Amino acid sequence: MTASDVLSLALGMPKAELHVHIEGTLEPELAFALARRNGVALPYADEAALKAAYAFDSLQSFLDLYYACADVLRTRDDFRDLMLAYLERAAADGVIHAEIFFDPQTHTARGIPFATVLDGLDDGLAEGARRWGISGRLILCFLRHLSEDECLATLAEAEPYLARIHGFGLDSSERGHPPSQFVRLFARCRELGKPVVAHAGEEGPPEYITEALDLLGARRIDHGVRAVDDPAVLTRLAEEGIPLTVCPLSNTRLCVFKEMREHSLPRLLAAGAKVTLNSDDPAYFGGYLNANIRAVHEAFHFDAATWYRLARNSFEASFASDAEKTAWIARLDTYFAAAR
Ligand code: ADE
Ligand code: ZN
């Protein structure tokens, strides 16, 4: 198989996406359309000026812009349109299942009711399932730059809607906000019977990964790419089969790694970690899942077996039912068998 055959194979694979922030899929064109529709002023003259601001030197420099742009999201239809736009692009990249983060506190803090956000996102999921057959679930993420008490209040607001929330996560500014600050919050999430995940080891140290596992009960680690800085943490992740939702373009755009060739992805795989590939905030970081696959292909030239493993991991690491996972993996196997 030539390198370009392997790339085509990887781009066309059926796969799951487990780490994407719906607010991070807000493309400049939609941001300005919603700004006009809602009479909201964005702090940029036009789409070109906004795109020119996508030059980040850290997670925080990105988050500042990401939260500012989210201000255009006001109505149930805005959230629906945002979700549909993501699902259309994801489906075009071969994504058949997505577990999608949303940050309700970004919206409720601006006076948007929790139900408006959730109803709109669910409208989009239902329409996406009809149009493209894509399966989607929501994971509510708490903002770690806020206090645990504020997050507990958000959880109380979410409780009437638990049937529509598939799991809970932790995101936003990592440095200085360790998982240990959210022990009560995540104990409550687990009591409610939901799986929990946490961003850890993106910019923060490997100890945050250990805290997320031991103190929060995280079932997946979002990013986790800094695990290579502590061999004991990396060995543990591999031995326990804890999935890492790695986002290569995000990590290079936010300067976690200077360039793709320096990314820890090959070291994580070599250590036996259960890695999945994801897009994080694709509107801001240069592309959706297949753009990440292209960038990884160019840097590392993985073989077909590695791409199969990454796609299979994405299904195995999902929070879907065993029956769904078995059906998706059978589809993946059929795809690879036909390509041989
Ligand atoms: N929120 C959106 N994208 C994020 C990221 N990469 N890390 C932490 N919080 C986020
Ligand atoms: Zn993220």
Side-chain angles (χ1 to χ4, degrees):
M1 229 185 230
T2 66
S4 100
D5 291 340
V6 173
L7 175 60
S8 303
L9 186 71
L11 296 175
M13 310 184 288
K15 41 204 173 282
E17 174 147 67
L18 306 178
H19 182 163
V20 57
H21 302 261
I22 199 62
E23 294 87 354
T25 69
L26 179 60
E27 293 286 341
E29 296 72 18
L30 183 58
F32 275 92
L34 296 182
R36 281 190 294 275
R37 184 154 107 185
N38 293 324
V40 177
L42 275 167
Y44 298 91
D46 53 26
E47 290 160 28
L50 175 56
K51 281 184 198 162
Y54 292 1
F56 311 113
D57 60 8
S58 62
L59 173 57
Q60 194 59 51
S61 66
F62 155 69
L63 290 171
D64 292 342
L65 180 63
Y66 162 87
Y67 294 128
C69 288
D71 190 35
V72 302
L73 296 161
R74 299 286 173 102
T75 69
R76 177 170 176 165
D77 279 352
D78 297 345
F79 288 96
R80 172 189 178 276
D81 293 350
L82 180 68
M83 178 60 83
L84 261 189
Y86 163 67
L87 293 174
E88 180 166 24
R89 289 170 186 265
D93 279 0
V95 174
I96 59 174
H97 174 69
E99 298 184 2
I100 304 160
F101 295 136
F102 72 114
D103 290 343
Q105 290 160 305
T106 300
H107 313 299
T108 54
R110 300 181 288 116
I112 314 292
F114 186 93
T116 300
V117 178
L118 190 64
D119 287 344
L121 295 176
D122 270 344
D123 289 346
L125 286 174
E127 185 61 26
R130 271 194 296 276
R131 286 196 201 173
W132 303 294
I134 187 167
S135 135
R137 311 263 160 80
L138 295 173
I139 295 183
L140 187 162
C141 265
F142 297 103
L143 301 180
R144 69 202 308 163
H145 66 267
L146 302 177
S147 71
E148 184 174 45
D149 283 340
E150 286 168 292
C151 295
L152 281 162
T154 296
L155 178 55
E157 226 180 326
E159 284 194 28
Y161 306 98
L162 275 189
R164 296 157 66 186
I165 297 168
H166 209 59
F168 291 96
L170 184 67
D171 67 358
S172 195
S173 320
E174 186 180 13
R175 284 199 190 114
H177 301 286
S180 54
Q181 291 176 351
F182 300 93
V183 171
R184 283 181 303 139
L185 174 68
F186 281 86
R188 179 75 190 132
C189 293
R190 294 196 318 275
E191 256 172 42
L192 293 169
K194 300 290 177 179
V196 310
V197 298
H199 282 56
E202 177 184 16
E203 281 188 340
E207 300 85 80
Y208 284 20
I209 298 174
T210 304
E211 284 189 15
L213 297 172
D214 294 340
L215 304 182
L216 305 188
R219 303 243 310 257
R220 296 196 295 247
I221 296 294
D222 296 313
H223 296 293
V225 295
R226 299 253 52 100
V228 292
D229 296 343
D230 185 336
V233 172
L234 184 53
T235 301
R236 175 183 178 188
L237 289 171
E239 281 179 0
E240 296 183 15
I242 294 153
L244 302 180
T245 63
V246 172
C247 307
L249 284 174
S250 165
N251 295 147
T252 50
R253 289 300 178 100
L254 300 186
C255 306
V256 172
F257 300 101
K258 271 210 290 298
E259 53 182 316
M260 198 58 82
R261 273 175 303 164
E262 292 179 14
H263 198 288
S264 60
L265 173 61
R267 285 171 280 162
L268 296 170
L269 286 168
K274 197 176 185 79
V275 173
T276 68
L277 292 185
N278 305 273
S279 70
D280 205 7
D281 301 285
Y284 295 91
F285 299 151
Y288 290 74
L289 190 43
N290 274 353
N292 279 268
I293 286 179
R294 279 180 196 282
V296 165
H297 169 81
E298 271 165 34
F300 302 120
H301 301 289
F302 290 157
D303 59 13
T306 304
W307 288 113
Y308 173 81
R309 178 37 62 194
L310 287 163
R312 187 177 173 117
N313 285 351
S314 75
F315 296 125
E316 288 177 352
S318 78
F319 295 139
S321 68
D322 287 344
E324 286 170 305
K325 291 185 195 187
T326 303
W328 294 330
I329 292 168
R331 218 167 131 178
L332 178 67
D333 287 346
T334 303
Y335 174 84
F336 270 80
R340 233 187 277 123

